[in-house]
Amino acid sequence: MTIPERVDQLAGRKRRRERPCGFDKAAYRRRNVVERCFHRLKQWRGIATRYDKHPDRYLAAITLASTLIWLDQ
């Protein structure tokens, strides 16, 4: 599990004597980076709306947007 549980959920598990879910902080950090990357890519209108229907053109648009985002950092 990579998303931390809320405090009330943890208390409920303890009350019902259920096994607590594991939380991996490093996995959560990596997942957050990927989600932020998708968010930045969706700022590009053509990618978010899948304007290009051809897979090669869509992949080219994602590659271009990813490169420009990487260079901007």
Side-chain angles (χ1 to χ4, degrees):
M1 174 177 220
T2 57
I3 300 175
E5 285 188 305
R6 296 188 320 240
V7 176
D8 61 336
Q9 287 179 338
L10 288 173
R13 283 185 187 274
K14 186 180 265 187
R15 186 173 20 90
R16 292 186 305 269
R17 295 183 181 156
E18 291 179 0
R19 190 182 70 163
C21 290
F23 172 66
D24 187 6
K25 193 171 187 178
Y28 183 69
R29 186 169 290 162
R30 288 189 303 265
R31 179 182 177 196
N32 188 13
V33 169
V34 171
E35 286 181 359
R36 287 176 184 257
C37 178
F38 278 117
H39 176 71
R40 299 262 325 251
L41 280 174
K42 286 184 178 183
Q43 298 298 315
W44 291 66
R45 181 179 168 265
I47 294 172
T49 59
R50 186 77 195 253
Y51 186 72
D52 294 319
K53 298 300 180 192
H54 297 283
D56 55 343
R57 292 183 191 160
Y58 188 68
L59 180 61
I62 289 176
T63 304
L64 176 65
S66 300
T67 304
L68 291 176
I69 289 171
W70 180 69
L71 288 175
D72 190 36
Q73 291 181 354

